[in-house]
Amino acid sequence: TDRHFRYFLRLISREVLLYTEMVTTGAILHGNRDKFLDFSPFENPVSLQLGGDNPAQLAECAKIGMDYGYSEINLNVG
């Protein structure tokens, strides 16, 4: 979900774990990280859905996601 919908859902329930849209490793490594990863603490708990096929890049992006404060990193490999 995007951050606007997560905010709306958080108004309905503080208990449910929310997920981001899937973000590729390339977008994080080569794009505007804040655009893809920034979120409000109000949205927590929120899980980053991370997509990619390179283990080293997935590991690097998972660490970046943790540094942004995500509650969970969800790996989508393919």
Side-chain angles (χ1 to χ4, degrees):
T1 59
D2 67 18
R3 63 186 313 179
H4 305 289
F5 191 58
R6 289 192 307 269
Y7 182 87
F8 173 71
L9 290 174
R10 192 53 71 215
L11 293 173
I12 296 170
S13 174
R14 292 292 306 149
E15 305 298 320
V16 69
L17 174 64
L18 301 176
Y19 289 80
T20 66
E21 298 172 296
M22 188 178 358
V23 181
T24 64
T25 55
I28 294 172
L29 295 174
H30 306 293
N32 181 343
R33 287 184 187 165
D34 286 341
K35 176 184 175 187
F36 294 110
L37 298 177
D38 198 28
F39 68 98
S40 166
F42 178 76
E43 297 172 48
N44 269 323
V46 63
S47 177
L48 171 63
Q49 288 192 80
L50 186 57
D53 62 0
N54 180 300
Q57 291 177 350
L58 284 165
E60 182 178 354
C61 290
K63 178 167 181 352
I64 293 167
M66 291 184 66
D67 291 343
Y68 268 79
Y70 283 92
S71 302
E72 174 182 292
I73 307 295
N74 177 274
L75 298 180
N76 293 272
V77 296

